Amino acid sequence: MVNLIAAGEVIERPASVVKELVENSIDAGATEVMVAAEDGGRKLLSITDNGSGMDAEDLAAAFESHATSKIKEVADLQNIATLGFRGEALASIAAIARVRAVSRMRDSDQAHCIEIDCGDGSPVSPCSGDFGTTIQVRDLFYRTPARRKFLRTANTELGHISEQFARIALPQIHLDLTLIHNGKELHRLPRTESLQQRVSQLFPMLISGPGDLIETASDEKGIRIRTLLGRPHISRTSNQFQYTFLNGRFIRDKFISHAIKEAYRGLLDANRFPVVFLFMEMPCSDYDVNVHPTKVEVRFYNANLVHSQVLGVLREQLLGTDLNAVAQLPTQELAQAGDDSASQQVRRQQIADAMAEFFKKHRSAHQQQFDLRPESGSEPRGPEHKRTVSDKPRPAPSPQLEDNKYIQIHDSYIVEQTDEGFVIIDQHALHERMLYETLQRRLQRDSLESQRLLLPESFEVTDAQAGAIEAHTDLLTQLGVELTPFGPRVYAVQTFPTLLANVEPVEFVRDLIDMLVERGDTVARQDLFNDILSMAACKAAIKAGQRLSDSEIRELLADRKRFESTTRCPHGRPTTIAFSISELEKQFKRT
Ligand code: ADP
Ligand code: MG
């Protein structure tokens, strides 16, 4: 009974057997492990390793419940460096299936085997066999139909096995691993020195080119972190490609997940999830692994430190990396536009148009001895130039314009020459990003600076909205928004943040209150602030379609230097798309 109950906790499906048995192989020092399954593991699971092996006595003992060779004294429980330690896996598995184990130690010329059928064991007997251990598990749950009923189709179970296999293979890069299903080899992972390589062995479809995963390493405050961070363009629609490991063991942890999400804030659309492989090492005494039956959750004694270290390492790396979307030129775009949403198509068309415009201008400018080099700044712009930009006259260029390396097109984009080629900047997105960062910084230090409206502006609210206003007065104060009751279900805006001077106070406050009503009590305060600031930045930013003077453009571009990262707007869309000269030259068949 005890074993059956334990089996219920540890062994849920074939994949759990794979996990327990392969972990045992690793604990036994194996360098090669082969997993073979039939019928999604429901019929057979066979795990073979070249580890230390067991002698006859240990082989019999291994299937006793609470038999483990990994804990010798109570103190060992505080310092668990092996994957297993409870001594219940083999006993549990043998209680619910037909098991045959063959094992031979390195220094022995004899292998031994044992067979156990749902708890009924035969005595150990000599047999033939290689160094190491093979354990075969047949007909899982065949005597517990209630449990067997919960098994899914062979394909589904195989999916779980593959997932388990990946969770073991990712951190164990020095291990040769093979996965076979119904006689077919699904994975053959030779040992490697590189995490990147192990990832591409396992998930070739995840990566489209070199550099898609940014590698980082840090070792601080007793926490060693190595990560492979997916660039935003390989993000996914779920978090299934977020793997975190602690001392070689796959774990799920809400502090770490949160830190990952925070690190990518503003770099991804809200419904996208980054690809992240995170390998953490820390002393076993800094966490408790004995809190979950399958050890997939742990308890950190200092979870805040873990959170801040992970966030710090990831954020620093992401902000320090040039994440500019690299533009694919239009001809290549069309070939792969298959699964694009309409909005992306539109955007691409805009970019293509923008480019066409740019080249037209570039050529005509060239004919008029107008080029984009800085020295030519004093050259007056010809009429041809004006016409290609727009039919409306532009503001005159300021006389000491030392620099003509940019130009506004369609009143929405700025094309700027760079060392490598040129970039196209979405003026709204860039400005929005910078406003967002500024608001964040100010708010971190203090409340937002506000000014009193000369005439308070009143607006009507519902009861729910009135409730939200009362419940969040401190939040409103921090934002620099003071609202006072002005009659039944009427409030007036008294003060408003200076940074949002060009935003309609009532319009902003209405949206703000909607947010408070919808999410005010359900999300963490920081998340709420982030959303509010991103809305504020969007409203206050230069709009698409807004004509900018040269000095305004210059100011906008110069402002970028004050920020660590401006390549994405707060909603995660790119602000800047880079085009390289070498790519252009290829397109024009110059190379
Ligand atoms: P635990 O791994 O928690 O110790 P298990 O029930 O998984 O408990 O295994 C019991 C014991 O059997 C292990 O402690 C180990 O000594 C031995 N054992 C299991 N699998 C192997 C293997 N593949 N090679 C060598 N020894 C093994
Ligand atoms: Mg074990």
Coordinates of all heavy atoms in Angstrom, one line a residue, residues 455-496:
L455 N -8.4 76.2 -14.9 CA -9.8 75.8 -14.7 C -10.0 74.4 -14.5 O -9.6 73.6 -15.4 CB -10.6 76.2 -16.0 CG -10.9 77.7 -16.2 CD1 -11.6 77.9 -17.5 CD2 -11.7 78.3 -15.0
P456 N -10.4 73.9 -13.3 CA -10.6 72.5 -13.1 C -11.5 71.9 -14.2 O -12.5 72.6 -14.5 CB -11.2 72.4 -11.7 CG -10.9 73.7 -11.1 CD -10.8 74.7 -12.1
E457 N -11.2 70.8 -14.7 CA -12.1 70.2 -15.7 C -12.9 69.1 -15.1 O -12.3 68.1 -14.5 CB -11.2 69.7 -16.9 CG -10.5 70.8 -17.6 CD -9.8 70.2 -18.9 OE1 -10.2 69.2 -19.4 OE2 -8.8 70.8 -19.2
S458 N -14.2 69.1 -15.3 CA -15.0 68.1 -14.6 C -15.5 67.1 -15.6 O -15.5 67.3 -16.8 CB -16.2 68.8 -14.0 OG -17.0 69.4 -15.0
F459 N -15.8 65.9 -15.0 CA -16.3 64.8 -15.8 C -17.2 63.9 -15.0 O -17.0 63.9 -13.8 CB -15.1 64.0 -16.4 CG -14.2 63.5 -15.4 CD1 -14.3 62.1 -15.1 CD2 -13.3 64.3 -14.8 CE1 -13.4 61.6 -14.1 CE2 -12.4 63.7 -13.8 CZ -12.5 62.4 -13.5
E460 N -18.1 63.2 -15.7 CA -19.0 62.3 -14.9 C -18.4 60.9 -14.8 O -17.6 60.4 -15.7 CB -20.3 62.2 -15.7 CG -21.2 63.4 -15.4 CD -22.5 63.3 -16.1 OE1 -23.2 62.3 -15.8 OE2 -22.9 64.1 -16.9
V461 N -18.8 60.2 -13.7 CA -18.3 58.8 -13.5 C -19.4 57.9 -13.1 O -20.5 58.4 -12.7 CB -17.2 58.8 -12.4 CG1 -16.0 59.6 -12.8 CG2 -17.8 59.3 -11.1
T462 N -19.2 56.6 -13.3 CA -20.2 55.7 -12.8 C -19.8 55.4 -11.3 O -18.8 55.8 -10.8 CB -20.1 54.3 -13.5 OG1 -18.8 53.8 -13.2 CG2 -20.3 54.5 -15.0
D463 N -20.7 54.6 -10.6 CA -20.4 54.3 -9.2 C -19.1 53.5 -9.1 O -18.3 53.7 -8.2 CB -21.6 53.5 -8.6 CG -22.8 54.5 -8.4 OD1 -22.5 55.7 -8.2 OD2 -23.9 54.0 -8.4
A464 N -18.9 52.6 -10.0 CA -17.7 51.7 -10.0 C -16.5 52.6 -10.2 O -15.5 52.4 -9.5 CB -17.8 50.7 -11.1
Q465 N -16.6 53.6 -11.1 CA -15.5 54.5 -11.3 C -15.2 55.3 -10.1 O -14.0 55.5 -9.7 CB -15.7 55.3 -12.5 CG -15.6 54.5 -13.8 CD -16.0 55.3 -15.0 OE1 -16.8 56.2 -14.9 NE2 -15.4 55.0 -16.2
A466 N -16.2 55.8 -9.5 CA -16.1 56.6 -8.3 C -15.4 55.8 -7.2 O -14.5 56.3 -6.5 CB -17.4 57.1 -7.8
G467 N -15.8 54.5 -7.1 CA -15.2 53.6 -6.1 C -13.7 53.5 -6.4 O -12.9 53.5 -5.5
A468 N -13.4 53.3 -7.7 CA -12.0 53.1 -8.0 C -11.1 54.4 -7.7 O -10.0 54.3 -7.3 CB -11.9 52.8 -9.5
I469 N -11.7 55.5 -7.9 CA -11.0 56.8 -7.6 C -10.7 56.8 -6.1 O -9.6 57.1 -5.7 CB -11.8 58.0 -8.1 CG1 -11.9 58.0 -9.6 CG2 -11.2 59.3 -7.6 CD1 -12.9 59.1 -10.1
E470 N -11.7 56.5 -5.3 CA -11.5 56.6 -3.9 C -10.5 55.6 -3.4 O -9.6 55.9 -2.6 CB -12.8 56.4 -3.1 CG -13.9 57.4 -3.4 CD -13.4 58.9 -3.2 OE1 -12.6 59.1 -2.3 OE2 -13.8 59.8 -4.0
A471 N -10.6 54.4 -4.0 CA -9.7 53.3 -3.6 C -8.2 53.6 -4.0 O -7.3 53.0 -3.5 CB -10.1 52.0 -4.2
H472 N -8.0 54.4 -5.0 CA -6.7 54.6 -5.5 C -6.1 56.0 -5.4 O -5.3 56.4 -6.2 CB -6.6 54.1 -7.0 CG -6.8 52.7 -7.2 ND1 -7.9 52.1 -7.5 CD2 -5.9 51.6 -7.0 CE1 -7.8 50.8 -7.6 NE2 -6.6 50.5 -7.3
T473 N -6.6 56.7 -4.4 CA -6.2 58.1 -4.3 C -4.6 58.3 -4.2 O -4.0 59.1 -4.8 CB -6.8 58.9 -3.1 OG1 -6.8 57.9 -2.0 CG2 -8.1 59.4 -3.4
D474 N -4.0 57.3 -3.4 CA -2.6 57.4 -3.3 C -1.9 57.2 -4.6 O -0.9 57.9 -4.9 CB -2.1 56.5 -2.2 CG -2.4 55.1 -2.5 OD1 -3.5 54.8 -3.1 OD2 -1.6 54.2 -2.1
L475 N -2.4 56.3 -5.4 CA -1.8 56.0 -6.7 C -1.9 57.2 -7.6 O -1.0 57.7 -8.3 CB -2.5 54.8 -7.4 CG -2.0 54.4 -8.8 CD1 -2.0 52.9 -8.9 CD2 -2.9 55.0 -9.8
L476 N -3.1 57.8 -7.6 CA -3.3 59.0 -8.4 C -2.4 60.2 -7.9 O -1.8 60.9 -8.8 CB -4.8 59.5 -8.3 CG -5.8 58.5 -8.9 CD1 -7.2 58.8 -8.5 CD2 -5.7 58.6 -10.4
T477 N -2.2 60.3 -6.6 CA -1.3 61.3 -6.1 C 0.1 61.1 -6.7 O 0.7 62.1 -7.1 CB -1.3 61.3 -4.6 OG1 -2.6 61.3 -4.1 CG2 -0.5 62.5 -4.0
Q478 N 0.5 59.9 -6.6 CA 1.8 59.6 -7.1 C 2.0 59.9 -8.6 O 3.0 60.4 -9.0 CB 2.1 58.1 -7.0 CG 3.4 57.8 -6.1 CD 3.6 56.3 -6.0 OE1 2.7 55.6 -5.7 NE2 4.8 55.9 -6.2
L479 N 0.9 59.8 -9.3 CA 0.9 60.1 -10.8 C 0.8 61.6 -11.0 O 0.9 62.1 -12.1 CB -0.2 59.4 -11.5 CG 0.0 57.9 -11.6 CD1 -1.3 57.3 -12.2 CD2 1.2 57.6 -12.6
G480 N 0.6 62.4 -9.9 CA 0.4 63.8 -10.1 C -1.0 64.2 -10.5 O -1.2 65.3 -11.0
V481 N -2.0 63.3 -10.3 CA -3.3 63.6 -10.7 C -4.2 63.8 -9.5 O -4.3 62.9 -8.6 CB -3.9 62.5 -11.5 CG1 -5.4 62.7 -11.9 CG2 -3.1 62.3 -12.8
E482 N -4.7 65.0 -9.3 CA -5.6 65.2 -8.1 C -7.0 65.4 -8.6 O -7.3 66.2 -9.5 CB -5.2 66.5 -7.4 CG -6.0 66.7 -6.1 CD -5.8 68.1 -5.5 OE1 -4.7 68.7 -5.7 OE2 -6.7 68.5 -4.8
L483 N -7.9 64.6 -8.1 CA -9.3 64.6 -8.5 C -10.1 65.0 -7.3 O -9.9 64.4 -6.2 CB -9.8 63.3 -9.0 CG -9.0 62.7 -10.2 CD1 -9.5 61.3 -10.6 CD2 -9.0 63.6 -11.4
T484 N -11.1 65.9 -7.4 CA -11.9 66.2 -6.3 C -13.4 66.1 -6.7 O -13.8 66.3 -7.8 CB -11.7 67.7 -5.9 OG1 -11.8 68.5 -7.0 CG2 -10.4 67.9 -5.2
P485 N -14.2 65.6 -5.7 CA -15.6 65.4 -6.0 C -16.2 66.8 -6.3 O -15.9 67.8 -5.7 CB -16.2 64.9 -4.7 CG -15.1 64.5 -3.8 CD -13.9 65.2 -4.3
F486 N -17.2 66.8 -7.3 CA -17.7 68.1 -7.8 C -19.2 68.1 -7.9 O -19.8 68.8 -8.6 CB -17.0 68.3 -9.2 CG -16.8 69.7 -9.5 CD1 -15.8 70.4 -8.8 CD2 -17.4 70.3 -10.6 CE1 -15.5 71.7 -9.1 CE2 -17.1 71.7 -10.9 CZ -16.2 72.3 -10.2
G487 N -19.8 67.1 -7.2 CA -21.2 66.9 -7.3 C -21.5 65.4 -7.4 O -20.5 64.7 -7.3
P488 N -22.8 65.0 -7.4 CA -23.0 63.6 -7.5 C -22.4 63.0 -8.8 O -22.7 63.5 -9.9 CB -24.6 63.5 -7.5 CG -25.1 64.9 -7.7 CD -23.9 65.9 -7.5
R489 N -21.6 62.0 -8.6 CA -21.0 61.3 -9.7 C -20.2 62.3 -10.7 O -20.2 62.0 -11.9 CB -22.0 60.5 -10.5 CG -22.6 59.4 -9.7 CD -23.1 58.3 -10.6 NE -23.9 57.3 -9.8 CZ -25.2 57.4 -9.7 NH1 -25.8 58.4 -10.2 NH2 -25.8 56.5 -9.0
V490 N -19.8 63.3 -10.1 CA -18.9 64.2 -10.9 C -17.6 64.5 -10.2 O -17.6 64.8 -9.0 CB -19.7 65.6 -11.2 CG1 -18.8 66.5 -12.0 CG2 -21.0 65.3 -12.0
Y491 N -16.6 64.4 -10.9 CA -15.3 64.8 -10.4 C -14.6 65.8 -11.2 O -15.0 66.0 -12.4 CB -14.3 63.5 -10.4 CG -14.5 62.6 -9.2 CD1 -15.6 61.7 -9.2 CD2 -13.7 62.7 -8.1 CE1 -15.8 60.9 -8.1 CE2 -13.9 61.9 -7.0 CZ -15.0 61.0 -7.0 OH -15.1 60.2 -5.9
A492 N -13.6 66.5 -10.6 CA -12.9 67.5 -11.4 C -11.4 67.2 -11.3 O -10.9 66.8 -10.3 CB -13.2 68.9 -10.9
V493 N -10.7 67.4 -12.5 CA -9.3 67.3 -12.5 C -8.7 68.6 -12.0 O -8.9 69.6 -12.6 CB -8.8 67.0 -13.9 CG1 -7.3 66.7 -13.9 CG2 -9.6 65.9 -14.5
Q494 N -8.0 68.5 -10.9 CA -7.3 69.7 -10.4 C -5.9 69.9 -10.8 O -5.4 71.0 -11.2 CB -7.4 69.7 -8.8 CG -8.8 69.6 -8.3 CD -9.6 71.0 -8.4 OE1 -9.0 72.0 -8.8 NE2 -10.8 70.9 -7.9
T495 N -5.1 68.8 -10.7 CA -3.7 68.8 -11.2 C -3.5 67.7 -12.1 O -4.2 66.7 -12.2 CB -2.8 68.7 -10.0 OG1 -2.9 67.3 -9.5 CG2 -3.1 69.7 -8.9
F496 N -2.4 68.0 -12.9 CA -2.1 67.0 -14.0 C -0.6 67.0 -14.2 O 0.1 68.0 -14.0 CB -2.8 67.6 -15.3 CG -2.9 66.5 -16.3 CD1 -3.7 65.4 -16.1 CD2 -2.3 66.6 -17.5 CE1 -3.9 64.4 -17.1 CE2 -2.4 65.7 -18.5 CZ -3.2 64.6 -18.3

